[in-house]
PDB file of all heavy atoms in Angstrom:
ATOM      1  N   GLN S  70      37.046 -57.059 -93.013  1.00 97.00           N
ATOM      2  CA  GLN S  70      38.428 -56.864 -93.708  1.00 97.00           C
ATOM      3  C   GLN S  70      39.492 -56.552 -92.691  1.00 97.00           C
ATOM      4  O   GLN S  70      40.684 -56.826 -93.009  1.00 97.00           O
ATOM      5  CB  GLN S  70      38.237 -55.664 -94.680  1.00 97.00           C
ATOM      6  CG  GLN S  70      37.324 -56.036 -95.840  1.00 97.00           C
ATOM      7  CD  GLN S  70      37.130 -54.745 -96.802  1.00 97.00           C
ATOM      8  OE1 GLN S  70      37.337 -53.612 -96.378  1.00 97.00           O
ATOM      9  NE2 GLN S  70      36.657 -55.055 -98.079  1.00 97.00           N
ATOM     10  N   ALA S  71      39.148 -56.124 -91.544  1.00 98.00           N
ATOM     11  CA  ALA S  71      40.270 -55.841 -90.479  1.00 98.00           C
ATOM     12  C   ALA S  71      40.712 -57.040 -89.837  1.00 98.00           C
ATOM     13  O   ALA S  71      41.657 -57.077 -89.078  1.00 98.00           O
ATOM     14  CB  ALA S  71      39.730 -54.897 -89.488  1.00 98.00           C
ATOM     15  N   GLY S  72      40.081 -58.216 -90.125  1.00 97.00           N
ATOM     16  CA  GLY S  72      40.480 -59.545 -89.582  1.00 97.00           C
ATOM     17  C   GLY S  72      40.137 -59.808 -88.204  1.00 97.00           C
ATOM     18  O   GLY S  72      40.668 -60.575 -87.495  1.00 97.00           O
ATOM     19  N   VAL S  73      39.103 -59.041 -87.642  1.00 98.00           N
ATOM     20  CA  VAL S  73      38.759 -59.102 -86.200  1.00 98.00           C
ATOM     21  C   VAL S  73      38.373 -60.486 -85.873  1.00 98.00           C
ATOM     22  O   VAL S  73      38.575 -60.952 -84.595  1.00 98.00           O
ATOM     23  CB  VAL S  73      37.787 -58.077 -85.757  1.00 98.00           C
ATOM     24  CG1 VAL S  73      38.347 -56.631 -85.956  1.00 98.00           C
ATOM     25  CG2 VAL S  73      36.509 -58.178 -86.538  1.00 98.00           C
ATOM     26  N   TYR S  74      37.612 -61.168 -86.647  1.00 98.00           N
ATOM     27  CA  TYR S  74      37.093 -62.447 -86.344  1.00 98.00           C
ATOM     28  C   TYR S  74      38.134 -63.561 -86.341  1.00 98.00           C
ATOM     29  O   TYR S  74      37.831 -64.677 -85.761  1.00 98.00           O
ATOM     30  CB  TYR S  74      35.922 -62.770 -87.397  1.00 98.00           C
ATOM     31  CG  TYR S  74      34.943 -61.749 -87.469  1.00 98.00           C
ATOM     32  CD1 TYR S  74      34.631 -61.078 -88.644  1.00 98.00           C
ATOM     33  CD2 TYR S  74      34.165 -61.351 -86.271  1.00 98.00           C
ATOM     34  CE1 TYR S  74      33.679 -60.010 -88.613  1.00 98.00           C
ATOM     35  CE2 TYR S  74      33.260 -60.441 -86.372  1.00 98.00           C
ATOM     36  CZ  TYR S  74      32.972 -59.665 -87.521  1.00 98.00           C
ATOM     37  OH  TYR S  74      32.055 -58.832 -87.593  1.00 98.00           O
ATOM     38  N   ASP S  75      39.363 -63.286 -86.840  1.00 97.00           N
ATOM     39  CA  ASP S  75      40.449 -64.247 -86.788  1.00 97.00           C
ATOM     40  C   ASP S  75      40.827 -64.645 -85.348  1.00 97.00           C
ATOM     41  O   ASP S  75      41.306 -65.662 -85.135  1.00 97.00           O
ATOM     42  CB  ASP S  75      41.626 -63.796 -87.547  1.00 97.00           C
ATOM     43  CG  ASP S  75      41.281 -63.740 -89.049  1.00 97.00           C
ATOM     44  OD1 ASP S  75      40.332 -64.311 -89.518  1.00 97.00           O
ATOM     45  OD2 ASP S  75      42.096 -62.987 -89.692  1.00 97.00           O
ATOM     46  N   VAL S  76      40.681 -63.611 -84.445  1.00 97.00           N
ATOM     47  CA  VAL S  76      41.111 -63.841 -82.984  1.00 97.00           C
ATOM     48  C   VAL S  76      40.376 -64.899 -82.379  1.00 97.00           C
ATOM     49  O   VAL S  76      40.722 -65.447 -81.346  1.00 97.00           O
ATOM     50  CB  VAL S  76      41.049 -62.531 -82.266  1.00 97.00           C
ATOM     51  CG1 VAL S  76      41.916 -61.476 -82.888  1.00 97.00           C
ATOM     52  CG2 VAL S  76      39.613 -61.996 -82.004  1.00 97.00           C
ATOM     53  N   ALA S  77      39.157 -65.219 -82.950  1.00 97.00           N
ATOM     54  CA  ALA S  77      38.391 -66.300 -82.274  1.00 97.00           C
ATOM     55  C   ALA S  77      39.034 -67.726 -82.355  1.00 97.00           C
ATOM     56  O   ALA S  77      38.644 -68.676 -81.742  1.00 97.00           O
ATOM     57  CB  ALA S  77      36.864 -66.314 -82.811  1.00 97.00           C
ATOM     58  N   GLY S  78      39.956 -67.806 -83.387  1.00 96.00           N
ATOM     59  CA  GLY S  78      40.594 -69.025 -83.560  1.00 96.00           C
ATOM     60  C   GLY S  78      39.950 -70.076 -84.277  1.00 96.00           C
ATOM     61  O   GLY S  78      40.456 -71.297 -84.539  1.00 96.00           O
ATOM     62  N   GLY S  79      38.668 -69.835 -84.828  1.00 96.00           N
ATOM     63  CA  GLY S  79      38.011 -70.890 -85.648  1.00 96.00           C
ATOM     64  C   GLY S  79      37.606 -70.266 -87.031  1.00 96.00           C
ATOM     65  O   GLY S  79      38.306 -69.374 -87.441  1.00 96.00           O
ATOM     66  N   ASP S  80      36.512 -70.743 -87.560  1.00 97.00           N
ATOM     67  CA  ASP S  80      36.070 -70.157 -88.793  1.00 97.00           C
ATOM     68  C   ASP S  80      34.813 -69.324 -88.512  1.00 97.00           C
ATOM     69  O   ASP S  80      34.312 -69.450 -87.479  1.00 97.00           O
ATOM     70  CB  ASP S  80      35.896 -71.086 -89.917  1.00 97.00           C
ATOM     71  CG  ASP S  80      34.726 -72.119 -89.722  1.00 97.00           C
ATOM     72  OD1 ASP S  80      34.225 -72.168 -88.523  1.00 97.00           O
ATOM     73  OD2 ASP S  80      34.223 -72.738 -90.558  1.00 97.00           O
ATOM     74  N   ALA S  81      34.466 -68.643 -89.541  1.00 98.00           N
ATOM     75  CA  ALA S  81      33.202 -67.677 -89.247  1.00 98.00           C
ATOM     76  C   ALA S  81      32.290 -67.874 -90.522  1.00 98.00           C
ATOM     77  O   ALA S  81      32.790 -67.868 -91.703  1.00 98.00           O
ATOM     78  CB  ALA S  81      33.658 -66.271 -89.070  1.00 98.00           C
ATOM     79  N   THR S  82      30.913 -67.921 -90.211  1.00 98.00           N
ATOM     80  CA  THR S  82      29.947 -67.846 -91.197  1.00 98.00           C
ATOM     81  C   THR S  82      29.263 -66.539 -90.999  1.00 98.00           C
ATOM     82  O   THR S  82      29.215 -65.939 -89.912  1.00 98.00           O
ATOM     83  CB  THR S  82      29.019 -69.004 -91.065  1.00 98.00           C
ATOM     84  OG1 THR S  82      28.288 -68.982 -89.781  1.00 98.00           O
ATOM     85  CG2 THR S  82      29.607 -70.296 -91.296  1.00 98.00           C
ATOM     86  N   PHE S  83      28.679 -66.040 -92.092  1.00 98.00           N
ATOM     87  CA  PHE S  83      28.034 -64.758 -92.041  1.00 98.00           C
ATOM     88  C   PHE S  83      26.582 -64.852 -92.595  1.00 98.00           C
ATOM     89  O   PHE S  83      26.328 -65.493 -93.645  1.00 98.00           O
ATOM     90  CB  PHE S  83      28.855 -63.696 -92.880  1.00 98.00           C
ATOM     91  CG  PHE S  83      30.226 -63.499 -92.416  1.00 98.00           C
ATOM     92  CD1 PHE S  83      31.275 -64.452 -92.715  1.00 98.00           C
ATOM     93  CD2 PHE S  83      30.580 -62.415 -91.606  1.00 98.00           C
ATOM     94  CE1 PHE S  83      32.589 -64.169 -92.297  1.00 98.00           C
ATOM     95  CE2 PHE S  83      31.769 -62.297 -91.010  1.00 98.00           C
ATOM     96  CZ  PHE S  83      32.781 -63.076 -91.460  1.00 98.00           C
ATOM     97  N   ALA S  84      25.690 -64.112 -91.884  1.00 98.00           N
ATOM     98  CA  ALA S  84      24.324 -63.957 -92.308  1.00 98.00           C
ATOM     99  C   ALA S  84      23.943 -62.500 -92.389  1.00 98.00           C
ATOM    100  O   ALA S  84      24.366 -61.747 -91.541  1.00 98.00           O
ATOM    101  CB  ALA S  84      23.463 -64.667 -91.308  1.00 98.00           C
TER     102      ALA S  84
END
Side-chain angles (χ1 to χ4, degrees):
Q70 291 177 340
V73 295
Y74 304 119
D75 295 341
V76 302
D80 69 345
T82 57
F83 296 85

